PDB file of all heavy atoms in Angstrom:
ATOM      1  N   PRO A 102    -174.506 125.591 -47.965  1.00  0.00           N
ATOM      2  CA  PRO A 102    -173.680 125.886 -46.799  1.00  0.00           C
ATOM      3  C   PRO A 102    -173.384 124.606 -46.029  1.00  0.00           C
ATOM      4  O   PRO A 102    -172.544 124.585 -45.042  1.00  0.00           O
ATOM      5  CB  PRO A 102    -174.684 126.669 -45.914  1.00  0.00           C
ATOM      6  CG  PRO A 102    -176.066 126.125 -46.233  1.00  0.00           C
ATOM      7  CD  PRO A 102    -175.869 125.808 -47.796  1.00  0.00           C
ATOM      8  N   GLU A 103    -173.883 123.419 -46.375  1.00  0.00           N
ATOM      9  CA  GLU A 103    -173.640 122.202 -45.638  1.00  0.00           C
ATOM     10  C   GLU A 103    -172.181 121.853 -45.614  1.00  0.00           C
ATOM     11  O   GLU A 103    -171.504 121.841 -46.600  1.00  0.00           O
ATOM     12  CB  GLU A 103    -174.494 121.126 -46.286  1.00  0.00           C
ATOM     13  CG  GLU A 103    -174.651 119.852 -45.414  1.00  0.00           C
ATOM     14  CD  GLU A 103    -175.605 118.820 -46.084  1.00  0.00           C
ATOM     15  OE1 GLU A 103    -176.459 119.241 -46.881  1.00  0.00           O
ATOM     16  OE2 GLU A 103    -175.571 117.735 -45.651  1.00  0.00           O
ATOM     17  N   LYS A 104    -171.700 121.501 -44.424  1.00  0.00           N
ATOM     18  CA  LYS A 104    -170.316 121.065 -44.310  1.00  0.00           C
ATOM     19  C   LYS A 104    -170.247 119.688 -44.905  1.00  0.00           C
ATOM     20  O   LYS A 104    -170.944 118.744 -44.467  1.00  0.00           O
ATOM     21  CB  LYS A 104    -169.880 121.085 -42.861  1.00  0.00           C
ATOM     22  CG  LYS A 104    -168.425 120.664 -42.641  1.00  0.00           C
ATOM     23  CD  LYS A 104    -167.473 121.782 -42.273  1.00  0.00           C
ATOM     24  CE  LYS A 104    -166.136 121.234 -41.918  1.00  0.00           C
ATOM     25  NZ  LYS A 104    -165.172 121.410 -42.892  1.00  0.00           N
ATOM     26  N   LEU A 105    -169.387 119.452 -45.859  1.00  0.00           N
ATOM     27  CA  LEU A 105    -169.268 118.195 -46.520  1.00  0.00           C
ATOM     28  C   LEU A 105    -168.026 117.393 -45.892  1.00  0.00           C
ATOM     29  O   LEU A 105    -167.149 117.952 -45.383  1.00  0.00           O
ATOM     30  CB  LEU A 105    -169.128 118.332 -47.955  1.00  0.00           C
ATOM     31  CG  LEU A 105    -170.238 119.116 -48.705  1.00  0.00           C
ATOM     32  CD1 LEU A 105    -170.037 119.267 -50.155  1.00  0.00           C
ATOM     33  CD2 LEU A 105    -171.561 118.418 -48.497  1.00  0.00           C
ATOM     34  N   ALA A 106    -168.142 116.078 -46.101  1.00  0.00           N
ATOM     35  CA  ALA A 106    -167.152 115.119 -45.533  1.00  0.00           C
ATOM     36  C   ALA A 106    -165.708 115.286 -46.095  1.00  0.00           C
ATOM     37  O   ALA A 106    -164.712 115.104 -45.435  1.00  0.00           O
ATOM     38  CB  ALA A 106    -167.544 113.725 -45.642  1.00  0.00           C
ATOM     39  N   SER A 107    -165.656 115.814 -47.420  1.00  0.00           N
ATOM     40  CA  SER A 107    -164.306 115.987 -47.935  1.00  0.00           C
ATOM     41  C   SER A 107    -164.283 117.150 -48.937  1.00  0.00           C
ATOM     42  O   SER A 107    -165.401 117.479 -49.540  1.00  0.00           O
ATOM     43  CB  SER A 107    -163.827 114.718 -48.641  1.00  0.00           C
ATOM     44  OG  SER A 107    -164.571 114.559 -49.899  1.00  0.00           O
ATOM     45  N   ASP A 108    -163.184 117.723 -49.157  1.00  0.00           N
ATOM     46  CA  ASP A 108    -163.134 118.810 -50.173  1.00  0.00           C
ATOM     47  C   ASP A 108    -163.555 118.399 -51.514  1.00  0.00           C
ATOM     48  O   ASP A 108    -164.106 119.261 -52.249  1.00  0.00           O
ATOM     49  CB  ASP A 108    -161.642 119.395 -50.191  1.00  0.00           C
ATOM     50  CG  ASP A 108    -161.226 120.063 -48.907  1.00  0.00           C
ATOM     51  OD1 ASP A 108    -162.114 120.262 -48.005  1.00  0.00           O
ATOM     52  OD2 ASP A 108    -159.941 120.228 -48.685  1.00  0.00           O
ATOM     53  N   SER A 109    -163.313 117.133 -51.906  1.00  0.00           N
ATOM     54  CA  SER A 109    -163.621 116.715 -53.280  1.00  0.00           C
ATOM     55  C   SER A 109    -165.085 116.716 -53.431  1.00  0.00           C
ATOM     56  O   SER A 109    -165.607 116.874 -54.574  1.00  0.00           O
ATOM     57  CB  SER A 109    -163.048 115.298 -53.559  1.00  0.00           C
ATOM     58  OG  SER A 109    -163.544 114.365 -52.608  1.00  0.00           O
ATOM     59  N   LEU A 110    -165.936 116.589 -52.385  1.00  0.00           N
ATOM     60  CA  LEU A 110    -167.378 116.667 -52.560  1.00  0.00           C
ATOM     61  C   LEU A 110    -167.811 118.054 -52.949  1.00  0.00           C
ATOM     62  O   LEU A 110    -168.873 118.184 -53.659  1.00  0.00           O
ATOM     63  CB  LEU A 110    -168.097 116.139 -51.319  1.00  0.00           C
ATOM     64  CG  LEU A 110    -167.865 114.659 -51.021  1.00  0.00           C
ATOM     65  CD1 LEU A 110    -168.493 114.345 -49.660  1.00  0.00           C
ATOM     66  CD2 LEU A 110    -168.614 113.840 -52.076  1.00  0.00           C
ATOM     67  N   TYR A 111    -167.123 119.075 -52.519  1.00  0.00           N
ATOM     68  CA  TYR A 111    -167.524 120.397 -52.942  1.00  0.00           C
ATOM     69  C   TYR A 111    -167.230 120.603 -54.350  1.00  0.00           C
ATOM     70  O   TYR A 111    -168.065 121.150 -55.147  1.00  0.00           O
ATOM     71  CB  TYR A 111    -166.647 121.492 -52.161  1.00  0.00           C
ATOM     72  CG  TYR A 111    -167.028 121.593 -50.684  1.00  0.00           C
ATOM     73  CD1 TYR A 111    -166.273 120.910 -49.694  1.00  0.00           C
ATOM     74  CD2 TYR A 111    -168.063 122.397 -50.356  1.00  0.00           C
ATOM     75  CE1 TYR A 111    -166.572 121.003 -48.362  1.00  0.00           C
ATOM     76  CE2 TYR A 111    -168.435 122.537 -48.947  1.00  0.00           C
ATOM     77  CZ  TYR A 111    -167.641 121.904 -47.944  1.00  0.00           C
ATOM     78  OH  TYR A 111    -167.952 121.992 -46.647  1.00  0.00           O
ATOM     79  N   LEU A 112    -166.138 120.026 -54.792  1.00  0.00           N
ATOM     80  CA  LEU A 112    -165.749 120.169 -56.274  1.00  0.00           C
ATOM     81  C   LEU A 112    -166.835 119.413 -57.184  1.00  0.00           C
ATOM     82  O   LEU A 112    -167.278 119.870 -58.196  1.00  0.00           O
ATOM     83  CB  LEU A 112    -164.362 119.636 -56.555  1.00  0.00           C
ATOM     84  CG  LEU A 112    -163.893 119.667 -57.955  1.00  0.00           C
ATOM     85  CD1 LEU A 112    -163.982 121.070 -58.508  1.00  0.00           C
ATOM     86  CD2 LEU A 112    -162.457 119.005 -58.146  1.00  0.00           C
ATOM     87  N   GLU A 113    -167.182 118.210 -56.630  1.00  0.00           N
ATOM     88  CA  GLU A 113    -168.308 117.377 -57.323  1.00  0.00           C
ATOM     89  C   GLU A 113    -169.545 118.150 -57.441  1.00  0.00           C
ATOM     90  O   GLU A 113    -170.171 118.234 -58.455  1.00  0.00           O
ATOM     91  CB  GLU A 113    -168.473 116.179 -56.505  1.00  0.00           C
ATOM     92  CG  GLU A 113    -169.416 115.167 -57.187  1.00  0.00           C
ATOM     93  CD  GLU A 113    -169.519 113.872 -56.430  1.00  0.00           C
ATOM     94  OE1 GLU A 113    -168.528 113.369 -56.019  1.00  0.00           O
ATOM     95  OE2 GLU A 113    -170.736 113.436 -56.111  1.00  0.00           O
ATOM     96  N   ASN A 114    -170.009 118.900 -56.306  1.00  0.00           N
ATOM     97  CA  ASN A 114    -171.168 119.678 -56.311  1.00  0.00           C
ATOM     98  C   ASN A 114    -171.037 120.870 -57.271  1.00  0.00           C
ATOM     99  O   ASN A 114    -172.004 121.075 -58.141  1.00  0.00           O
ATOM    100  CB  ASN A 114    -171.430 120.296 -54.881  1.00  0.00           C
ATOM    101  CG  ASN A 114    -172.780 121.027 -54.845  1.00  0.00           C
ATOM    102  OD1 ASN A 114    -173.701 120.690 -55.477  1.00  0.00           O
ATOM    103  ND2 ASN A 114    -172.746 122.067 -53.956  1.00  0.00           N
ATOM    104  N   TYR A 115    -169.904 121.529 -57.336  1.00  0.00           N
ATOM    105  CA  TYR A 115    -169.660 122.551 -58.341  1.00  0.00           C
ATOM    106  C   TYR A 115    -169.789 122.052 -59.771  1.00  0.00           C
ATOM    107  O   TYR A 115    -170.476 122.705 -60.559  1.00  0.00           O
ATOM    108  CB  TYR A 115    -168.257 123.179 -58.056  1.00  0.00           C
ATOM    109  CG  TYR A 115    -167.804 124.177 -59.092  1.00  0.00           C
ATOM    110  CD1 TYR A 115    -168.135 125.455 -59.012  1.00  0.00           C
ATOM    111  CD2 TYR A 115    -167.036 123.796 -60.186  1.00  0.00           C
ATOM    112  CE1 TYR A 115    -167.725 126.432 -59.946  1.00  0.00           C
ATOM    113  CE2 TYR A 115    -166.612 124.729 -61.045  1.00  0.00           C
ATOM    114  CZ  TYR A 115    -167.040 126.002 -61.061  1.00  0.00           C
ATOM    115  OH  TYR A 115    -166.559 126.941 -61.938  1.00  0.00           O
ATOM    116  N   GLU A 116    -169.119 120.941 -60.025  1.00  0.00           N
ATOM    117  CA  GLU A 116    -169.195 120.386 -61.369  1.00  0.00           C
ATOM    118  C   GLU A 116    -170.582 119.983 -61.796  1.00  0.00           C
ATOM    119  O   GLU A 116    -170.947 120.108 -62.918  1.00  0.00           O
ATOM    120  CB  GLU A 116    -168.274 119.175 -61.501  1.00  0.00           C
ATOM    121  CG  GLU A 116    -166.711 119.615 -61.425  1.00  0.00           C
ATOM    122  CD  GLU A 116    -166.283 120.507 -62.495  1.00  0.00           C
ATOM    123  OE1 GLU A 116    -166.897 120.560 -63.575  1.00  0.00           O
ATOM    124  OE2 GLU A 116    -165.172 121.111 -62.288  1.00  0.00           O
ATOM    125  N   ASN A 117    -171.362 119.386 -60.804  1.00  0.00           N
ATOM    126  CA  ASN A 117    -172.774 119.051 -61.120  1.00  0.00           C
ATOM    127  C   ASN A 117    -173.569 120.257 -61.470  1.00  0.00           C
ATOM    128  O   ASN A 117    -174.423 120.301 -62.435  1.00  0.00           O
ATOM    129  CB  ASN A 117    -173.469 118.296 -59.907  1.00  0.00           C
ATOM    130  CG  ASN A 117    -172.928 116.891 -59.749  1.00  0.00           C
ATOM    131  OD1 ASN A 117    -172.573 116.255 -60.789  1.00  0.00           O
ATOM    132  ND2 ASN A 117    -173.007 116.328 -58.574  1.00  0.00           N
ATOM    133  N   LEU A 118    -173.407 121.344 -60.741  1.00  0.00           N
ATOM    134  CA  LEU A 118    -174.100 122.569 -60.939  1.00  0.00           C
ATOM    135  C   LEU A 118    -173.685 123.162 -62.247  1.00  0.00           C
ATOM    136  O   LEU A 118    -174.547 123.725 -63.036  1.00  0.00           O
ATOM    137  CB  LEU A 118    -173.873 123.590 -59.799  1.00  0.00           C
ATOM    138  CG  LEU A 118    -174.632 123.326 -58.529  1.00  0.00           C
ATOM    139  CD1 LEU A 118    -174.010 124.055 -57.361  1.00  0.00           C
ATOM    140  CD2 LEU A 118    -176.161 123.651 -58.659  1.00  0.00           C
ATOM    141  N   LYS A 119    -172.384 123.110 -62.644  1.00  0.00           N
ATOM    142  CA  LYS A 119    -171.947 123.668 -63.870  1.00  0.00           C
ATOM    143  C   LYS A 119    -172.565 122.913 -65.022  1.00  0.00           C
ATOM    144  O   LYS A 119    -172.962 123.574 -66.018  1.00  0.00           O
ATOM    145  CB  LYS A 119    -170.441 123.651 -63.872  1.00  0.00           C
ATOM    146  CG  LYS A 119    -169.850 124.323 -65.044  1.00  0.00           C
ATOM    147  CD  LYS A 119    -168.341 124.530 -64.897  1.00  0.00           C
ATOM    148  CE  LYS A 119    -167.527 123.781 -65.772  1.00  0.00           C
ATOM    149  NZ  LYS A 119    -166.103 123.899 -65.598  1.00  0.00           N
ATOM    150  N   GLN A 120    -172.659 121.622 -64.884  1.00  0.00           N
ATOM    151  CA  GLN A 120    -173.255 120.775 -65.950  1.00  0.00           C
ATOM    152  C   GLN A 120    -174.769 121.095 -66.023  1.00  0.00           C
ATOM    153  O   GLN A 120    -175.206 121.201 -67.209  1.00  0.00           O
ATOM    154  CB  GLN A 120    -173.052 119.252 -65.532  1.00  0.00           C
ATOM    155  CG  GLN A 120    -173.443 118.240 -66.536  1.00  0.00           C
ATOM    156  CD  GLN A 120    -173.143 116.880 -66.152  1.00  0.00           C
ATOM    157  OE1 GLN A 120    -173.312 116.502 -64.991  1.00  0.00           O
ATOM    158  NE2 GLN A 120    -172.632 116.067 -67.089  1.00  0.00           N
ATOM    159  N   ASP A 121    -175.424 121.329 -65.003  1.00  0.00           N
ATOM    160  CA  ASP A 121    -176.857 121.653 -65.009  1.00  0.00           C
ATOM    161  C   ASP A 121    -177.022 123.017 -65.681  1.00  0.00           C
ATOM    162  O   ASP A 121    -177.970 123.220 -66.509  1.00  0.00           O
ATOM    163  CB  ASP A 121    -177.531 121.683 -63.522  1.00  0.00           C
ATOM    164  CG  ASP A 121    -177.634 120.329 -62.977  1.00  0.00           C
ATOM    165  OD1 ASP A 121    -177.512 119.268 -63.749  1.00  0.00           O
ATOM    166  OD2 ASP A 121    -177.919 120.280 -61.703  1.00  0.00           O
TER     167      ASP A 121
END
Side-chain angles (χ1 to χ4, degrees):
E103 195 172 342
K104 178 108 173 102
L105 301 178
S107 73
D108 294 347
S109 63
L110 291 174
Y111 290 96
L112 181 58
E113 184 179 311
N114 186 31
Y115 173 84
E116 292 296 341
N117 285 334
L118 285 164
K119 190 164 110 179
Q120 188 174 41
D121 290 347

